[in-house]
Amino acid sequence: MNTAINTIIDYTTDKDLKRIAEKVQLEQRITDEEGILLFEKGSLPFVGALANFIRERKHGNTTYFNRNFHIEPTNVCVFSCKFCSYSRLYANKEEGWELSIDQMLDIVKSYDGKPITEVHIVGGVHPKMNMAYFIELMQKIKSHRPGLHVKAFTAVELDYMFRKAKLTVEEGMKQLHDAGLDSLPGGGAEIFAPEIREQICADKVDANGWLHIHEVAHQLGMHTNATMLYGQIEKYEHRIDHMRRLRELQDKTGGFNTFIPLKFRNQDNDMSYVKESTTTEDMRLYAIARIYLDNFPHLKAYWPMLGRENAQLSLSFGVNDIDGTIDDSTKIYSMAGSEEQSPTMTTQQLVTLIKQVKRSPVERDTLYNVVKDFTEINIDDPVFNAHLN
Ligand code: V47
Ligand code: SF4
């Protein structure tokens, strides 16, 4: 018997909230109306306690991280999302970058001999980087380091690539998978509701297109993630609508690993007039996502976007994964105003961060197989580094 959840049920006087707490205790799914109600009425301690109960029922204290790096092939993009601080037009030769296949392979080679398990490849949608280009990249990465998991391309990049190559999603995905693409990151989802999507990213793939691409990946046996860009102009109902579509697809395929809420950052973009959400709102959102998305195994706080201390805090609000070492290889969030201007953490720093809040650090690979459990390893031990190889 868990006393924390019983205490919440006993002391909650609001009958709607009490019913939701009872459902959580009984592992019953909450409805859309109840999800909206949690946003409207659920205090931070209330939703936090429920989310923590679910997190500990699913994972105990285990908190996952991985050893990864990013490659951003280009910041040139044919689209013009209003929240994006990162993309540049093709014509902007001064601020735009585009990496050749050899340059990207050199980045991969710079990790030779290092115990990295994943490369995350996401960038702008460059008009000239096509299927053939990325198939060659996948093949070269895999022939250089076959064991490296390649998690690459948002549904936005894939949609453009497949359409340009005149391929169906099924054909295009199969070709990339055969070339070495192992899984998909969760980007490009933003907010599915058309009335918001049309205002913030009208010209890129819509909700059905995004969901179809992930469904096809799942049918091929690939796992994928899902994000939600929140704290911009969306309302509570749009957040629940977004998560409902994800929950439905997950019921059908079971192919999603992780849900990653992404907090809108407002520096240097066309939506700078929108105030950023407060930390309380961020934590409430994590907690409600944990409660609502009962069929998602994992909830991730992406520390380069949230900052280290808030990532630590989120571990009490349903989060059980804080992404990876990153190694200062992404610019998306530093350009949008994150406090992490050069995001990099050593394994020791990640382990320390997790242990400081009394959780158990476990290194995972992309598919959540355990690489190393650091729970019993003393981080003050001078031979700590010996455990890292
Ligand atoms: O889709 C862009 C977001 C995403 C801003 O799957 C912004 O493991 C906030 O998908 N404020 C790309 N967010 C990043 C992404 C991702 C990141 C980490 C892990 C994984 C994973 C995926 O970045 C975009 C967009 O939603 N984004 N600009 C901004 N100003
Ligand atoms: Fe392009 Fe992605 Fe930025 Fe949108 S969010 S403009 S698709 S790089």
Side-chain angles (χ1 to χ4, degrees):
M1 188 168 70
N2 184 299
T3 49
I5 188 96
N6 286 319
T7 310
I8 295 164
I9 293 171
D10 289 348
Y11 283 89
T12 302
T13 50
D14 182 298
K15 71 174 185 0
D16 295 326
L17 293 177
K18 198 182 187 80
R19 189 185 61 245
I20 294 174
E22 284 165 351
K23 277 187 153 183
V24 166
Q25 187 184 36
L26 297 170
E27 279 189 78
Q28 290 171 359
R29 176 167 279 189
I30 69 162
T31 63
D32 292 359
E33 293 69 32
E34 288 166 337
I36 292 173
L37 203 121
L38 284 178
F39 276 119
E40 286 169 351
K41 289 209 278 194
S43 67
L44 181 63
F46 177 81
V47 295
L50 294 189
N52 193 49
F53 173 75
I54 297 169
R55 181 251 208 252
E56 291 183 356
R57 183 166 60 198
K58 279 185 187 290
H59 304 288
N61 277 324
T62 297
T63 301
Y64 293 103
F65 67 93
N66 72 348
R67 295 199 222 186
N68 63 349
F69 64 98
H70 290 221
I71 296 178
E72 295 178 349
T74 181
N75 65 342
V76 171
C77 191
V78 298
F79 297 119
S80 46
C81 305
K82 294 220 165 49
F83 54 80
C84 183
S85 319
Y86 165 87
S87 66
R88 297 293 179 268
L89 293 174
Y90 187 44
N92 187 343
K93 298 286 175 214
E94 272 159 34
E95 294 178 2
W97 77 78
E98 38 189 82
L99 301 182
S100 67
I101 289 177
D102 283 345
Q103 284 172 317
M104 292 192 263
L105 215 51
D106 282 344
I107 298 177
V108 174
K109 287 178 184 164
S110 71
Y111 291 93
D112 283 358
K114 295 186 183 159
I116 291 280
T117 57
E118 173 191 282
V119 57
H120 172 131
I121 307 176
V122 163
V125 179
H126 191 291
K128 300 233 161 104
M129 289 181 178
N130 58 16
M131 272 296 278
Y133 191 81
F134 286 121
I135 283 178
E136 188 183 337
L137 177 68
M138 298 290 103
Q139 287 168 338
K140 288 194 164 158
I141 292 176
K142 282 293 179 176
S143 77
H144 179 72
R145 191 163 171 172
L148 186 64
H149 185 107
V150 181
K151 179 179 78 176
F153 312 127
T154 65
V156 175
E157 293 165 275
L158 293 171
D159 170 68
Y160 185 83
M161 242 188 262
F162 299 159
R163 281 191 292 114
K164 253 197 126 175
K166 300 200 174 11
L167 295 171
T168 64
V169 174
E170 286 78 2
E171 290 163 344
M173 194 72 76
K174 173 113 188 19
Q175 287 186 18
L176 283 171
H177 188 42
D178 289 347
L181 176 65
D182 293 303
S183 65
L184 306 187
E190 321 313 357
I191 277 280
F192 290 142
E195 63 268 36
I196 302 296
R197 207 169 178 86
E198 274 155 23
Q199 293 182 63
I200 66 171
C201 55
D203 48 0
K204 70 187 188 188
V205 67
D206 66 6
N208 289 340
W210 190 100
L211 290 161
H212 180 57
I213 285 174
H214 282 255
E215 183 170 357
V216 170
H218 298 169
Q219 282 160 354
L220 285 173
M222 298 160 77
H223 283 270
T224 76
N225 292 337
T227 57
M228 174 171 78
L229 180 71
Y230 73 92
Q232 21 93 16
I233 56 169
E234 88 288 358
K235 298 206 167 70
Y236 295 151
E237 71 212 54
H238 302 123
R239 295 177 180 182
I240 292 294
D241 170 80
H242 189 92
M243 291 195 281
R244 179 183 44 74
R245 295 180 202 227
L246 293 173
R247 194 167 78 170
E248 281 172 5
L249 180 55
Q250 180 73 335
D251 277 342
K252 205 166 151 191
T253 65
F256 286 117
N257 270 340
T258 315
F259 182 60
I260 313 161
L262 294 172
K263 173 193 175 98
F264 167 66
R265 309 299 309 233
N266 68 5
Q267 191 174 294
D268 293 332
N269 55 49
D270 291 344
M271 290 175 65
S272 295
Y273 63 91
V274 177
K275 234 174 118 213
E276 289 183 0
S277 61
T278 62
T279 304
T280 303
E281 242 337 90
D282 297 336
M283 297 304 137
R284 261 169 31 89
L285 179 110
Y286 280 111
I288 295 167
R290 184 60 287 171
I291 298 165
Y292 183 87
L293 287 173
D294 58 345
N295 56 2
F296 268 64
H298 305 286
L299 179 65
K300 187 195 281 190
Y302 185 54
W303 69 263
M305 177 269 294
L306 204 57
R308 294 165 204 224
E309 287 182 5
N310 287 340
Q312 273 181 320
L313 189 60
S314 73
L315 300 183
S316 298
F317 293 90
V319 168
N320 69 298
D321 186 317
I322 57 169
D323 207 86
T325 42
I326 313 283
D327 205 23
D328 196 13
S329 49
T330 174
K331 294 196 175 60
I332 298 180
Y333 290 99
S334 49
M335 289 171 84
S338 164
E339 33 296 280
E340 298 287 346
Q341 283 300 300
S342 308
T344 188
M345 270 207 262
T346 61
T347 304
Q348 187 161 8
Q349 283 172 317
L350 276 166
V351 167
T352 306
L353 200 81
I354 296 167
K355 285 201 172 199
Q356 276 171 345
V357 288
K358 308 275 181 284
R359 301 287 183 179
S360 305
V362 174
E363 183 190 347
R364 60 161 176 89
D365 64 14
T366 311
L367 303 178
Y368 290 84
N369 299 303
V370 173
V371 176
K372 190 169 186 65
D373 186 341
F374 286 87
T375 312
E376 301 303 329
I377 294 174
N378 177 6
I379 48 174
D380 299 322
D381 184 339
V383 294
F384 178 82
N385 283 330
H387 296 285
L388 296 183
N389 295 314

